[in-house]
Amino acid sequence: MSCPKDKITLEFNGKPVTARPGDTVASALYRSGQRIFTRSFKYHRRRGLLCLAGKCPNCLMNVDGAPNVRTCITLVRAGMRVTHQNASPSLENDWLSVVQHFDRLMPVGWYYKTMTDPRVWHTAEPFVRKIAGLGTPPSPDAVSGNYEHAYRHSDVAIIGGGPAGLKAAISEAENGRQVTLVDDQPELGGHLRYTKIAEAALPELVAKVQTLPNMQVLNGSYCFGLYEGNLLGIVQPRRDPDDAERLIHLRAGRVVVATGAYESPLLFPNNDLVGVMLSTGVLRLIHLHGIIPGKVAVVIGQSPLVEPVVADLREAGLQIAATVAPKSVVRAIGKKYVTRIETRDARHACDLVVMCGHRIPDAGLLHQAGARLEWNAGKGAFIPTDLPAHVSAVGQVTGESLSAAATLPPVLDPASKRAFVCLCSDVSSQDLANAIDEGFDHIETLKRYTTTTMGPCQGRMCQLPAIGVCARQTNHSMAETGVTTGRPPNPGVTLGALAGARHHPTRRTPMHYEHEAAGAAWLDMGEWKRSRYYQSPMGASEKQCVEQEYRAVRERVGLIDVSTLGKLDLKGRDVGRLLDHVYAGRFSDLRPGRTRYGVICDEAGIMLDDGTVSRLADDHFFVTTTTGNLDFVLQWMNWWLVGTNWDVYITNLTSGLAAVNLAGPNAREVLKPLTDCDLSTAAFPYMACRVAQVAGAEAILMRIGFVGETGWEIHFPAESGPDVWKAVMEAGRKFDIKPFGIEAQRLLRLEKRHIIVGVDSDALTNPFEAGMGWVPKLDKEDFIGRSALARLATQPPKQKLACFIMNEADLPEDGAAIMIGGQLAGRVTSARFSPGQGKAIGLAWVPAETAREGAEVQVRVRGRVARARITEKAFYDPDGARLRM
Amino acid sequence: MVEHQGWQVAATFGNPSEEAARTRESVGLADLSWMSKFNLQGSGMKNAPDLGPDVRVWLLGRREYLVTCEPLVADAAKARLVQIMGVETRLRPPIYVTDVTSVYTQLMVAGPNSREVLSKLTSLNLSEGARGNLSCAQANVAHVHAVVLRNDLPGIPAFHLLVGREYGESLWESVLHAGHESHITPLGLEAQKLLQK
Amino acid sequence: MSFLVQCPQCGHRSVYEFRFGGEVKQRPAPNASEAEWTNYVYTKANEAGVQKEWWFHRSGCRQWFQAVRNTVTNEVQESFFPGDTT
């Protein structure tokens, strides 16, 4: 049937491999003659295909740069580049396989016993990393495709597309529910695809599912977690290299788990040889891919599992050398591949060993959701019980039609150095026995000490055999030994899928592109982009640029974008009442046209935020908050309003208003031609506010001065932002106006001793310590924090925020230690070089008795101790005369 | 760019009929920030007022409504509101009107694949059953708080995303990125007029 | 933690959309004793079972409401706007 266009060529270790449509990477490689697919984690033993169902670690390879891809469930694609992992130089000849001859040197718990000294670890780590492990992560700069998230909702989610899942999905959809069906195999059908069951009518079931309009099928996608509230995490791998790998958050009203049962290996020495396979893996190769993986087979298994397998293998043309019971197997023999099975009374030559292994209900999702797993000896499995509400199970995952594959716990002593329990990290039954002897005799401690069940297969292959060994060695029953806790993600998820697409929100002020054109050096403040300073075209340093901006404000005039401030519009008859309650100060008596500074404290008297409150009309206030605290203040005010019936309505206008601060001796002259508002001090005094036109936009003007000069904070509609900014800059040209950034603003305010809440204060600061004892109006009957502040007012503070000046220009870092007499006594909160003083200045927390004019302290400046002097007053215009000019 | 009801608006991104065609068969993205918006709050706001056929009133919270309309009819809508406030005694408790046109960037994602694109950006259930035409919800879209309004074009599902103005560029980029697989097209004013027919 | 919280305005949404506002407590009178205030500010009942809590729908309608939740099972039994009579 195969004609050239039906052939797909992929690349394995640089060589072309031809595949058929419908092939997985593993089946294509097997058909091309590849038998060894991986080298084991620790001993570098050869490992071949085992489960063919994406459950075991034996076929992990690097596919198109992504490590640890389960090649047995990854469909082939033309041009795919596949490489092997953890073997050098090749899978066939791996020189590291000599490691297994030194296994005595690497007993169980080897890391814990050997790497007790950090120096030993640092020496050994590079070698250990090279010898042990799986794939290598792609290099950080290698772009390895894109990732995205998607959100879905459905009434019912069915996990598993086998017969039980298909039937459940059809029934739910026919009852009018929105159904999502998730299946991890390339095609729907589960075990019907490769076993013969009389009642099965797979094509009809699949066809039906595909015609139902309220059914969404996610095949080739795996569910890695079932979380609270029926949230399912599902990964949809890319289908071609341009696709995104997608993580789907599926919220379902009900979840039906129909994950079926999978097969896990039997325990006997050399059970990991290439050519020893699970029966379902062999049947998958035969029926899904038309590959007969051998000529002469030995089948290990017991009734009733073994008979249908033997019949199926015979029909496929395999010669059955023997059918042996699991308990009679002594060991498998073979150098590169399995060649014989030794039983207690015979040796059987073969080139394939088919294990009819344990049938494990795939109950990981149910276990995560809170179901209990209860041992059932007849079925030889832990069966999920006590399912949580809105989660149900159907099919083999419930234990339906399962039967035991071997006696558990094992009758004979299972301990052997070459009977592998854990294929992921090469843990043998002897290792488990040794660990139990060392005292790790609980299944959970045994898991952590030996790392059994912690590898890529997450216990699928090893959990039941490990419980069996543990039970036998500790003389407990299977039920007493119990299972380890299952947690998501299982199977593993790539970090890229978890991270998803890069949607980092960015907030740009209305004047963003004006700043960009003026050479802004950006500062990220949360999501906001703000100008730290404006770079000079002459290539001046940051310090020089900041100083030029500083001088412009102090000597002439400067303009800063403060659009990031929180801006709240409060309307209603009771706004004054709310503000009196929420702020420590008093606002109900504020006259329209006036602005007042406000501080919000919590009930413990801690300062939370500060800002300005302006009264525009009797029932209309305008409040500003700091950039970072807008959401908090809004939520805080709304919380206090709940259930009060006060007539207060708050609209957040932060996004709708641009704001600038125009400051400097020439600010009035610059603004005058742009506005109809009388700017004279008589008509518009310090701490007044007006609504007026500025450069054609309706604006709120407030005469306030964070930077300590005559100035106006102007708020106006965002869409007028660029026009107003340009108009002000144009009007200021004859005064040599300069835009200034955050750095200059921080320096200017520091000279004025204006604190920044959250920078100079912390989560324990009250207004008395911060030198703002005038803020709380304790004569108000009640407000938030009154009780605590009234008490604090009577207690002398232990520490105070004080200004300091140094004898030099060298700056201490923020947070640097303040020392008195060689003892740690406080810390610096802000420090800048003051061009006005020619020295470093700052704010620091010091003991209250030290917070007096002229006190001497020491400051740590990058490891060195420097001298500083405390000052009580602001460094610049301490009486505020310039603000009132 | 053209002048449209007092705003500078993109007329087309190259070919209006192709923009319209791609929207009809897959998905398009338009900037509708020029639409007038105002906020109604107050103890008088117990029911949504009827402000005429060209004006939409959306419930945002308890006694809080968002009004959207074209700038041309905004003044008429405000006048109508004043009239209602004056005439109907049941609205005697105060109503406060705040213009929030500048507060929001308004993007419209329209087309048969609009749900597919938006499902990559928001956990909000956008199915027909949960989010029918003329419904309103609030949720994060591309990590940004958004008011999501469903207001269809004739025969085409359309979702309007209202986010803080300063997130505009960022959200535009995110929607284009999420729509890449669906060959999303930016939509100019001319194409929007074609789609209204 | 991915349970659903029922917002009285927006319906069932993921808990990630909400800000938890703590137990509902009665604020003492302004002239209450220091012990009462200390108890109000710092002490929590930390109930293992059903308690009444404040929640804020940050990613949705941005309103505060109260919910009755079982802290052991995370089942939200009811939610409402306090003082809402209409």
Side-chain angles (χ1 to χ4, degrees), chain A residues 416-433:
Chain A
S416 156
K417 268 168 40 174
R418 289 290 177 262
F420 286 94
V421 174
C422 167
L423 295 167
C424 295
S425 36
D426 276 347
V427 182
S428 67
S429 51
Q430 183 70 57
D431 290 330
L432 290 182

PDB file of all heavy atoms in Angstrom, chain A residues 416-433:
ATOM      1  N   SER A 416      17.054  -8.741  44.940  1.00  0.00           N
ATOM      2  CA  SER A 416      18.086  -9.061  43.952  1.00  0.00           C
ATOM      3  C   SER A 416      18.645  -7.754  43.433  1.00  0.00           C
ATOM      4  O   SER A 416      17.900  -6.783  43.253  1.00  0.00           O
ATOM      5  CB  SER A 416      17.480  -9.857  42.794  1.00  0.00           C
ATOM      6  OG  SER A 416      18.281  -9.695  41.635  1.00  0.00           O
ATOM      7  N   LYS A 417      19.956  -7.744  43.190  1.00  0.00           N
ATOM      8  CA  LYS A 417      20.582  -6.512  42.711  1.00  0.00           C
ATOM      9  C   LYS A 417      20.163  -6.152  41.294  1.00  0.00           C
ATOM     10  O   LYS A 417      20.380  -5.048  40.826  1.00  0.00           O
ATOM     11  CB  LYS A 417      22.105  -6.675  42.741  1.00  0.00           C
ATOM     12  CG  LYS A 417      22.698  -6.208  44.038  1.00  0.00           C
ATOM     13  CD  LYS A 417      24.160  -6.604  44.230  1.00  0.00           C
ATOM     14  CE  LYS A 417      25.015  -6.505  43.003  1.00  0.00           C
ATOM     15  NZ  LYS A 417      26.447  -6.757  43.293  1.00  0.00           N
ATOM     16  N   ARG A 418      19.619  -7.142  40.572  1.00  0.00           N
ATOM     17  CA  ARG A 418      19.295  -6.886  39.170  1.00  0.00           C
ATOM     18  C   ARG A 418      17.799  -7.041  38.871  1.00  0.00           C
ATOM     19  O   ARG A 418      17.404  -7.125  37.728  1.00  0.00           O
ATOM     20  CB  ARG A 418      20.110  -7.817  38.259  1.00  0.00           C
ATOM     21  CG  ARG A 418      21.592  -7.466  38.204  1.00  0.00           C
ATOM     22  CD  ARG A 418      21.826  -6.160  37.448  1.00  0.00           C
ATOM     23  NE  ARG A 418      23.224  -5.771  37.448  1.00  0.00           N
ATOM     24  CZ  ARG A 418      23.769  -4.898  38.280  1.00  0.00           C
ATOM     25  NH1 ARG A 418      23.016  -4.296  39.189  1.00  0.00           N
ATOM     26  NH2 ARG A 418      25.044  -4.602  38.228  1.00  0.00           N
ATOM     27  N   ALA A 419      17.007  -7.117  39.952  1.00  0.00           N
ATOM     28  CA  ALA A 419      15.558  -7.108  39.744  1.00  0.00           C
ATOM     29  C   ALA A 419      15.115  -5.675  39.940  1.00  0.00           C
ATOM     30  O   ALA A 419      15.084  -5.166  41.060  1.00  0.00           O
ATOM     31  CB  ALA A 419      14.872  -8.042  40.726  1.00  0.00           C
ATOM     32  N   PHE A 420      14.825  -5.002  38.845  1.00  0.00           N
ATOM     33  CA  PHE A 420      14.589  -3.561  38.930  1.00  0.00           C
ATOM     34  C   PHE A 420      13.137  -3.244  39.240  1.00  0.00           C
ATOM     35  O   PHE A 420      12.229  -3.637  38.507  1.00  0.00           O
ATOM     36  CB  PHE A 420      15.047  -2.861  37.652  1.00  0.00           C
ATOM     37  CG  PHE A 420      16.540  -2.794  37.581  1.00  0.00           C
ATOM     38  CD1 PHE A 420      17.270  -3.763  36.923  1.00  0.00           C
ATOM     39  CD2 PHE A 420      17.216  -1.775  38.245  1.00  0.00           C
ATOM     40  CE1 PHE A 420      18.651  -3.726  36.901  1.00  0.00           C
ATOM     41  CE2 PHE A 420      18.602  -1.735  38.230  1.00  0.00           C
ATOM     42  CZ  PHE A 420      19.323  -2.710  37.546  1.00  0.00           C
ATOM     43  N   VAL A 421      12.971  -2.541  40.355  1.00  0.00           N
ATOM     44  CA  VAL A 421      11.646  -2.050  40.728  1.00  0.00           C
ATOM     45  C   VAL A 421      11.400  -0.741  39.998  1.00  0.00           C
ATOM     46  O   VAL A 421      10.393  -0.538  39.332  1.00  0.00           O
ATOM     47  CB  VAL A 421      11.550  -1.854  42.255  1.00  0.00           C
ATOM     48  CG1 VAL A 421      10.219  -1.206  42.630  1.00  0.00           C
ATOM     49  CG2 VAL A 421      11.730  -3.180  42.975  1.00  0.00           C
ATOM     50  N   CYS A 422      12.367   0.159  40.144  1.00  0.00           N
ATOM     51  CA  CYS A 422      12.228   1.499  39.580  1.00  0.00           C
ATOM     52  C   CYS A 422      13.141   1.628  38.376  1.00  0.00           C
ATOM     53  O   CYS A 422      14.358   1.627  38.510  1.00  0.00           O
ATOM     54  CB  CYS A 422      12.583   2.527  40.656  1.00  0.00           C
ATOM     55  SG  CYS A 422      12.808   4.182  40.019  1.00  0.00           S
ATOM     56  N   LEU A 423      12.554   1.702  37.201  1.00  0.00           N
ATOM     57  CA  LEU A 423      13.344   1.822  35.970  1.00  0.00           C
ATOM     58  C   LEU A 423      13.855   3.241  35.794  1.00  0.00           C
ATOM     59  O   LEU A 423      14.871   3.468  35.157  1.00  0.00           O
ATOM     60  CB  LEU A 423      12.477   1.430  34.770  1.00  0.00           C
ATOM     61  CG  LEU A 423      12.027  -0.030  34.740  1.00  0.00           C
ATOM     62  CD1 LEU A 423      10.935  -0.211  33.695  1.00  0.00           C
ATOM     63  CD2 LEU A 423      13.208  -0.950  34.457  1.00  0.00           C
ATOM     64  N   CYS A 424      13.147   4.205  36.363  1.00  0.00           N
ATOM     65  CA  CYS A 424      13.515   5.606  36.161  1.00  0.00           C
ATOM     66  C   CYS A 424      14.854   5.919  36.805  1.00  0.00           C
ATOM     67  O   CYS A 424      15.671   6.631  36.244  1.00  0.00           O
ATOM     68  CB  CYS A 424      12.461   6.535  36.747  1.00  0.00           C
ATOM     69  SG  CYS A 424      10.872   6.427  35.934  1.00  0.00           S
ATOM     70  N   SER A 425      15.075   5.431  38.037  1.00  0.00           N
ATOM     71  CA  SER A 425      16.350   5.760  38.665  1.00  0.00           C
ATOM     72  C   SER A 425      17.099   4.520  39.137  1.00  0.00           C
ATOM     73  O   SER A 425      17.871   4.589  40.091  1.00  0.00           O
ATOM     74  CB  SER A 425      16.160   6.791  39.780  1.00  0.00           C
ATOM     75  OG  SER A 425      14.959   6.602  40.466  1.00  0.00           O
ATOM     76  N   ASP A 426      16.891   3.388  38.439  1.00  0.00           N
ATOM     77  CA  ASP A 426      17.683   2.184  38.687  1.00  0.00           C
ATOM     78  C   ASP A 426      17.680   1.760  40.147  1.00  0.00           C
ATOM     79  O   ASP A 426      18.740   1.622  40.770  1.00  0.00           O
ATOM     80  CB  ASP A 426      19.147   2.413  38.233  1.00  0.00           C
ATOM     81  CG  ASP A 426      19.320   2.169  36.750  1.00  0.00           C
ATOM     82  OD1 ASP A 426      18.403   1.591  36.137  1.00  0.00           O
ATOM     83  OD2 ASP A 426      20.372   2.563  36.214  1.00  0.00           O
ATOM     84  N   VAL A 427      16.512   1.562  40.715  1.00  0.00           N
ATOM     85  CA  VAL A 427      16.432   1.056  42.083  1.00  0.00           C
ATOM     86  C   VAL A 427      15.988  -0.400  42.010  1.00  0.00           C
ATOM     87  O   VAL A 427      14.935  -0.709  41.448  1.00  0.00           O
ATOM     88  CB  VAL A 427      15.436   1.884  42.935  1.00  0.00           C
ATOM     89  CG1 VAL A 427      15.417   1.344  44.364  1.00  0.00           C
ATOM     90  CG2 VAL A 427      15.821   3.350  42.929  1.00  0.00           C
ATOM     91  N   SER A 428      16.819  -1.285  42.584  1.00  0.00           N
ATOM     92  CA  SER A 428      16.510  -2.716  42.536  1.00  0.00           C
ATOM     93  C   SER A 428      15.777  -3.126  43.809  1.00  0.00           C
ATOM     94  O   SER A 428      15.715  -2.369  44.778  1.00  0.00           O
ATOM     95  CB  SER A 428      17.790  -3.521  42.410  1.00  0.00           C
ATOM     96  OG  SER A 428      18.532  -3.386  43.609  1.00  0.00           O
ATOM     97  N   SER A 429      15.260  -4.358  43.795  1.00  0.00           N
ATOM     98  CA  SER A 429      14.579  -4.848  44.988  1.00  0.00           C
ATOM     99  C   SER A 429      15.571  -4.987  46.140  1.00  0.00           C
ATOM    100  O   SER A 429      15.218  -4.818  47.301  1.00  0.00           O
ATOM    101  CB  SER A 429      13.892  -6.179  44.689  1.00  0.00           C
ATOM    102  OG  SER A 429      14.809  -7.071  44.085  1.00  0.00           O
ATOM    103  N   GLN A 430      16.855  -5.265  45.818  1.00  0.00           N
ATOM    104  CA  GLN A 430      17.885  -5.330  46.858  1.00  0.00           C
ATOM    105  C   GLN A 430      18.062  -3.949  47.507  1.00  0.00           C
ATOM    106  O   GLN A 430      18.201  -3.821  48.719  1.00  0.00           O
ATOM    107  CB  GLN A 430      19.219  -5.790  46.250  1.00  0.00           C
ATOM    108  CG  GLN A 430      20.339  -5.955  47.254  1.00  0.00           C
ATOM    109  CD  GLN A 430      20.074  -7.164  48.152  1.00  0.00           C
ATOM    110  OE1 GLN A 430      19.905  -8.293  47.697  1.00  0.00           O
ATOM    111  NE2 GLN A 430      20.002  -6.911  49.465  1.00  0.00           N
ATOM    112  N   ASP A 431      18.049  -2.905  46.677  1.00  0.00           N
ATOM    113  CA  ASP A 431      18.177  -1.540  47.209  1.00  0.00           C
ATOM    114  C   ASP A 431      17.048  -1.239  48.185  1.00  0.00           C
ATOM    115  O   ASP A 431      17.261  -0.656  49.248  1.00  0.00           O
ATOM    116  CB  ASP A 431      18.135  -0.500  46.081  1.00  0.00           C
ATOM    117  CG  ASP A 431      19.381  -0.546  45.206  1.00  0.00           C
ATOM    118  OD1 ASP A 431      20.456  -0.900  45.725  1.00  0.00           O
ATOM    119  OD2 ASP A 431      19.261  -0.223  44.008  1.00  0.00           O
ATOM    120  N   LEU A 432      15.834  -1.638  47.819  1.00  0.00           N
ATOM    121  CA  LEU A 432      14.697  -1.398  48.711  1.00  0.00           C
ATOM    122  C   LEU A 432      14.877  -2.169  50.010  1.00  0.00           C
ATOM    123  O   LEU A 432      14.659  -1.638  51.099  1.00  0.00           O
ATOM    124  CB  LEU A 432      13.384  -1.815  48.037  1.00  0.00           C
ATOM    125  CG  LEU A 432      12.887  -0.965  46.870  1.00  0.00           C
ATOM    126  CD1 LEU A 432      11.546  -1.507  46.380  1.00  0.00           C
ATOM    127  CD2 LEU A 432      12.741   0.487  47.268  1.00  0.00           C
ATOM    128  N   ALA A 433      15.305  -3.430  49.886  1.00  0.00           N
ATOM    129  CA  ALA A 433      15.508  -4.241  51.085  1.00  0.00           C
ATOM    130  C   ALA A 433      16.559  -3.602  51.986  1.00  0.00           C
ATOM    131  O   ALA A 433      16.389  -3.521  53.208  1.00  0.00           O
ATOM    132  CB  ALA A 433      15.914  -5.662  50.689  1.00  0.00           C
TER     133      ALA A 433
END
